[in-house]
Amino acid sequence: KDLEKVKEAAEKMAQVNKVIDREDTDVDDAGSPVGVLDLTEEFAAKASDIFECLTNRDKIAAYSRSSGPIVEARQGGSFSIFGGQITGGIEEIVRPEFMKQKWRMADWPSGCFSDLSITMRELGDHNGCLLELKQRGIPKNCVQSTQKHWKERVFNQIKIVYGYGAVEGAHSQMFGGL
């Protein structure tokens, strides 16, 4: 019996390792390695408020501190935000719960777009909402910079500008660690 349990455990571990190995070797159509990003963020706001922050050009301009964002917040619409540093198209939009996009940063290889989905969930009366972000097909060497973009330039800035939650490390960001 113990031997069977050990074999069973070894098989499960082998399956886990296959998944990990596969994720590390995912490639795009051109054969280049790509990565994934799964983020969750809590906001002290309604899902509809955060959804507006992600789709309304005036709100984006305020927290991105960039002028002239282009956002066609409809299925088939396109966007260009952060001074053209982020571009793409909206494949599906269900206000205020879900959005699926083709998304890219300007410094990515030409023609490389990731698949981005954002799901919003209310956490109950006066408890805010949860944003779940899944992004696939990010150039492997750009996963960390993409994560940093979402955390620092989008989520934290929405919280700071609109007061929709506390920002971790805000004191050291504002006062240089004093």
Side-chain angles (χ1 to χ4, degrees):
K1 269 188 171 178
D2 288 338
L3 185 57
E4 286 178 36
K5 286 182 181 179
V6 169
K7 284 182 182 179
E8 207 173 289
E11 286 175 20
K12 284 182 183 178
M13 190 52 131
Q15 289 172 342
V16 168
N17 289 336
K18 282 181 189 175
V19 170
I20 292 169
D21 289 344
R22 191 196 73 222
E23 185 172 285
D24 288 342
T25 58
D26 281 352
V27 294
D28 63 14
D29 293 339
S32 301
V34 293
V36 299
L37 190 57
D38 290 314
L39 298 174
T40 58
E41 191 75 18
E42 255 186 75
F43 292 93
K46 294 178 183 176
S48 59
D49 294 329
I50 303 306
F51 205 84
E52 278 297 302
C53 288
L54 298 173
T55 58
N56 178 289
R57 81 181 101 226
D58 293 331
K59 290 192 178 285
I60 294 168
Y63 71 78
S64 69
R65 298 184 188 104
S66 60
S67 61
I70 299 167
V71 181
E72 299 170 331
R74 59 175 171 75
Q75 188 168 333
S78 62
F79 58 89
S80 176
I81 56 178
F82 288 94
Q85 291 299 305
I86 307 297
T87 58
I90 298 174
E91 296 184 319
E92 187 178 344
I93 188 166
V94 180
R95 291 182 179 276
E97 296 117 27
F98 180 77
M99 185 167 34
K100 183 176 177 187
Q101 302 176 341
K102 288 291 188 187
W103 189 101
R104 75 180 311 266
M105 290 184 142
D107 61 348
W108 289 5
S110 179
C112 178
F113 284 84
S114 64
D115 294 309
L116 171 70
S117 67
I118 295 175
T119 305
M120 303 292 303
R121 222 171 18 95
E122 295 287 349
L123 295 175
D125 289 344
H126 310 292
N127 289 324
C129 68
L130 184 70
L131 180 149
E132 296 172 332
L133 179 146
K134 296 184 185 306
Q135 195 164 359
R136 307 285 180 263
I138 302 166
K140 196 69 164 181
N141 62 333
C142 298
V143 174
Q144 284 185 317
S145 62
T146 303
Q147 179 175 353
K148 184 176 180 176
H149 167 81
W150 283 111
K151 294 293 257 176
E152 294 179 11
R153 296 188 73 196
V154 179
F155 302 155
N156 286 354
Q157 292 305 311
I158 288 172
K159 289 176 178 182
I160 291 167
V161 170
Y162 296 106
Y164 289 156
V167 176
E168 289 182 34
H171 184 270
S172 62
Q173 286 177 357
M174 292 171 57
F175 300 107
L178 297 177

